[in-house]
Amino acid sequence: MDFGMPFLIETGSPEECILLCKRLGFQFIEWNMNFPQCQPENLQTDMLNEIRQRDNIYYTLHLEENINFSDFNKRVRRAYLETALLSIELAKEIKAPVINIHLAKGIFITLPDGKRYLFEEYGELYRENMLHFRNECERAIGDSGIKIAVENTDGFLPYEQRIIEELLESPCFGLTLDIGHSHAVKDKDIPFYEKNIHRLIHMHAHDAAGTKCHLAFGDGEIDLPKRLLMAKKAGARVVLETKTVKALEKTRGYIEENFRDL
């Protein structure tokens, strides 16, 4: 199993992140494109490819979390799609096998009987926009082998599950399981992942206590052996998605002590 690390705000630059990755002995780095340092125009692809070839460290990408591929404003939607397509070109250039994405739930209207999500209310338009996104990504990916992995956040709603299953009809799409996010919503998405276990290609792993996520391994209450075994059986790579260097170091030590066979 390959273990990787995220870009951390403490590391400051891709170069510092690479040095930390080497020191901790991880196999890959996930460039988080919410950060300015990780924008395609700011990543030095020549340097990244040299590191990949010399030190056997590879990369995955995490798209900006505010991207909405089904925004009802066609100009905004086009910009988000162009961002995804540019990220696919970057992934090709640096040989990144996975691009991680969140699905936007969109706007909801609060009525006396509860929330009404506009993507569910206007389901056919939502579906049309999302399938256009799927088809454009599929065309851009071609035969490169890149996968776009959909991550759980605060529990998939029924309309999200339906569209994810349609995305998964394309061989270019897969699933990311964030085990902390899952724990925070009482693992409500786990049956969906178990149903689609053959499409689990990526995992964000961190401990959690209640709704407090991104803890170091051993600082929370997640059944870590169970979740890592799930990743191992599926053949998924694992990003140790803590938010500090200290928590990442502690997680690295915990794995060394408890999961040496992984």
Side-chain angles (χ1 to χ4, degrees):
M1 181 187 294
D2 283 0
F3 287 102
M5 60 168 286
F7 182 81
L8 299 174
I9 196 167
E10 289 178 80
T11 53
S13 69
E15 291 85 352
E16 289 181 56
C17 189
I18 289 167
L19 289 175
L20 181 60
C21 182
K22 288 181 182 179
R23 178 166 69 81
L24 295 179
F26 295 134
Q27 285 75 52
F28 69 97
I29 296 169
E30 182 150 287
W31 301 118
N32 187 332
M33 301 173 85
N34 291 291
F35 287 87
Q37 301 97 317
C38 299
Q39 298 304 309
E41 62 271 19
N42 293 333
L43 287 172
Q44 300 179 41
T45 56
D46 289 345
M47 177 196 72
L48 296 184
N49 282 325
E50 180 182 346
I51 295 294
R52 177 176 54 81
Q53 294 167 359
R54 187 187 69 211
D55 298 322
N56 203 29
I57 292 173
Y58 68 94
Y59 318 103
T60 60
L61 302 179
H62 190 313
L63 285 194
E64 295 94 333
E65 294 174 16
N66 60 350
I67 282 181
N68 183 349
F69 299 113
S70 192
D71 195 293
F72 291 140
N73 184 316
K74 66 180 181 181
R75 297 163 190 84
V76 173
R77 188 170 69 248
R78 185 182 306 122
Y80 286 144
L81 176 59
E82 289 174 359
T83 299
L85 298 179
L86 181 62
S87 298
I88 290 171
E89 293 309 307
L90 172 63
K92 287 180 180 178
E93 192 169 351
I94 63 174
K95 308 297 183 186
V98 168
I99 300 173
N100 186 82
I101 66 169
H102 291 190
L103 286 189
K105 280 183 164 53
I107 299 299
F108 62 84
I109 306 299
T110 302
L111 297 177
D113 61 346
K115 294 179 180 178
R116 299 277 286 276
Y117 285 87
L118 294 189
F119 286 162
E120 185 169 31
E121 192 73 14
Y122 302 97
E124 279 306 309
L125 181 55
Y126 173 68
R127 179 176 180 270
E128 177 185 328
N129 291 336
M130 289 302 297
L131 293 186
H132 177 69
F133 161 70
R134 182 193 71 182
N135 295 340
E136 287 297 299
C137 289
E138 193 173 45
R139 178 191 57 78
I141 288 171
D143 61 358
S144 65
I146 294 166
K147 305 284 187 186
I148 297 176
V150 181
E151 178 188 350
N152 59 307
T153 52
D154 52 357
F156 292 131
L157 295 173
Y159 73 87
E160 293 181 293
Q161 290 191 14
R162 290 193 296 270
I163 202 62
I164 292 169
E165 288 181 336
E166 292 205 70
L167 294 178
L168 293 177
E169 290 177 4
S170 167
C172 297
F173 282 78
L175 293 172
T176 296
L177 173 60
D178 186 301
I179 66 174
H181 294 166
S182 181
H183 181 80
V185 293
K186 303 186 186 304
D187 290 327
K188 63 184 293 185
D189 290 325
I190 292 300
F192 181 78
Y193 278 89
E194 290 174 340
K195 175 185 173 184
N196 294 284
I197 191 65
H198 60 294
R199 304 306 295 276
L200 176 61
I201 60 173
H202 206 56
M203 180 175 281
H204 285 174
H206 44 98
D207 217 336
T211 59
K212 186 177 181 181
C213 295
H214 304 289
L215 304 178
F217 276 18
D219 286 354
E221 54 201 21
I222 293 179
D223 186 342
L224 296 169
K226 181 178 181 179
R227 291 290 173 249
L228 291 180
L229 184 59
M230 186 179 181
K232 183 176 182 180
K233 287 181 175 178
R237 59 181 53 80
V238 177
V239 182
L240 300 169
E241 203 188 32
T242 65
K243 298 302 184 182
T244 67
V245 173
K246 182 178 180 181
L248 187 62
E249 291 172 336
K250 183 173 182 178
T251 297
R252 177 66 178 84
Y254 190 94
I255 291 172
E256 183 68 22
E257 291 179 15
N258 297 278
F259 303 117
R260 191 176 287 270
D261 60 324
L262 295 178

